[in-house]
Amino acid sequence: MVPVTVEPIADRGIWFRVENGSTGSAVRRAAERLGDQLGLPAARLADLAIVTAELTSNLIKHADDGVLLLRPVRRELDAGVELIAIDTGPGMVDLAESARDGHSTTGTLGIGLGAIVRQASWFDAYSRPGRGTVIAVRVFAAPDVAVSWADGLTRPLTGETVSGDGYALRLLGDRRQVLVTDGLGHGPLAAAASAAALTAFREAPAGSPAEVVGHLHRAMSHTRGAALAVAEPDPAAGALRYCGLGNITGVVATGDGRQRGLVSLPGIAGHQRPVIRQYDYPFEAGSLLIMHTDGVVDRWQLADYPGLTGRTPLVVAATLLRDAGIRRDDAGVLVARSWS
């Protein structure tokens, strides 16, 4: 029997619009409460407070449309706090130079970004002048040197507190699968449908993407249903196996900038009798798999983001959500890369 292991990933978390000092203080307190609940020692709670204060200060002083996602992130043996700061400008010409102690654009001591890097267990960022900056930070009790092969994030429709979009990762022995789901509509019932899909995915027997989608369809009959897609990247074989139902966008982006769309068939998992069919695609070394819901418009091109493909899946996903996500619907993005 093939062992099925659910990959530890971050929870959905809370989005904050960071516009002034009072919001920054609220985010810091929320981060400290979360870190305390997760069992971070006092010294790391102090580091987390510094990281959060610097991130929010940067958004308030320097950024346009600054938002921050706060959420727990779980590893096999422990958990930590993840913060993702996102803005739409002005962006940085040289991110490495901006992280150097003493660098300042406003006459301050210039220790903000450098302090974030030093206190974090894990850090990644991407910035372009005129486009804005994404900074992702994780604070654990111990260092975090692993780079996840896949990651993502979701955002609810403006005015909602829960999102009907979701994603999950799992290991099947030496195989890896990902799921992206979009519960029909929005609000609590859409979130419940998506949660049912995530639970069924985690509990599904080892099988091909088509077999897993069939399992999800049968397990979701009590919900309002969802669009969803399951993918299985296999870099060793140079292949990607993909099965989708409904309006989930899947794209394979190669290292040389080419993008190929993946086929999802019409249907709603949990309802009717949809046609379930798997398609296989080339998946070369250096490729990215990008999947997103219809809350993200599909007109983006990675060629517009020099250097982004070299960043971690989380930062790629956050950048695309910022620029292609729409506010009148739930939105979710997952990115997976080939591994050696």
Side-chain angles (χ1 to χ4, degrees):
M1 183 176 180
V2 177
V4 178
T5 304
V6 178
E7 283 274 81
I9 59 173
D11 293 348
R12 299 188 184 200
I14 303 173
W15 287 91
F16 296 87
R17 181 165 294 280
V18 182
E19 299 175 318
N20 51 51
S22 61
T23 307
S25 297
V27 176
R28 189 188 71 251
R29 291 193 297 270
E32 290 175 315
R33 285 196 301 271
L34 179 58
D36 185 55
Q37 292 168 2
L38 296 173
L40 291 182
R44 293 304 281 155
L45 286 175
D47 293 338
L48 174 63
I50 292 172
V51 167
T52 308
E54 294 296 347
L55 283 173
T56 54
S57 176
N58 285 343
L59 290 175
I60 294 166
K61 293 178 181 178
H62 308 297
D64 298 325
D65 297 322
V67 297
L68 185 142
L69 175 62
L70 169 68
R71 59 185 184 175
V73 59
R74 307 179 192 281
R75 300 190 293 194
E76 185 176 359
L77 299 176
D78 65 350
V81 176
E82 180 177 87
L83 303 104
I84 306 171
I86 302 171
D87 66 68
T88 60
M92 305 179 212
V93 175
D94 189 334
L95 191 59
E97 175 66 11
S98 297
R100 180 179 58 81
D101 283 351
H103 177 85
S104 174
T105 59
T106 60
T108 64
L109 291 177
I111 60 174
L113 194 53
I116 293 170
V117 174
R118 286 195 306 276
Q119 309 303 330
S121 302
W122 176 91
F123 170 92
D124 192 28
Y126 178 77
S127 187
R128 294 290 296 174
R131 299 298 291 268
T133 302
V134 171
I135 299 175
V137 180
R138 289 174 179 168
V139 178
F140 288 95
D144 185 18
V145 297
V147 176
S148 177
W149 62 279
D151 216 325
L153 65 169
T154 63
R155 184 183 67 198
L157 171 149
T158 299
E160 291 283 0
T161 57
V162 294
S163 174
D165 293 355
Y167 67 94
L169 331 172
R170 69 176 192 161
L171 305 181
L172 310 169
D174 60 353
R175 295 160 53 201
R176 309 184 189 195
Q177 289 182 340
V178 298
L179 163 72
V180 170
T181 176
D182 180 355
L184 200 61
H186 56 84
L189 291 179
S194 191
L198 297 175
T199 298
F201 177 72
R202 296 180 182 114
E203 298 175 351
S208 68
E211 291 169 330
V212 174
V213 169
H215 173 84
L216 301 184
H217 170 62
R218 293 186 293 273
M220 295 175 62
S221 61
H222 65 290
T223 74
R224 62 166 54 180
L228 54 81
V230 174
E232 183 176 321
D234 186 354
L240 172 78
R241 292 172 277 279
Y242 185 87
C243 181
L245 284 179
N247 202 6
I248 300 293
T249 295
V251 173
V252 170
T254 60
D256 60 5
R258 291 175 291 132
Q259 294 184 190
R260 178 172 185 171
L262 312 180
V263 174
S264 286
L265 296 180
I268 301 172
H271 289 267
Q272 305 163 354
R273 292 188 178 180
V275 176
I276 297 174
R277 184 174 300 154
Q278 180 174 306
Y279 295 88
D280 295 351
Y281 300 91
F283 195 65
E284 307 165 1
S287 294
L288 290 179
L289 166 67
I290 301 171
M291 299 166 63
H292 60 74
T293 65
D294 63 357
V296 178
V297 297
D298 57 7
R299 294 189 294 272
W300 53 267
Q301 294 288 325
L302 287 181
D304 295 335
Y305 300 89
L308 181 60
T309 56
R311 309 318 308 162
T312 57
L314 178 59
V315 167
V316 177
T319 302
L320 294 179
L321 180 66
R322 177 195 66 193
D323 291 350
I326 59 178
R327 290 291 181 178
R328 62 181 183 275
D329 196 2
D330 300 329
V333 184
L334 176 137
V335 177
R337 67 167 65 256
S338 60
W339 59 91
S340 55

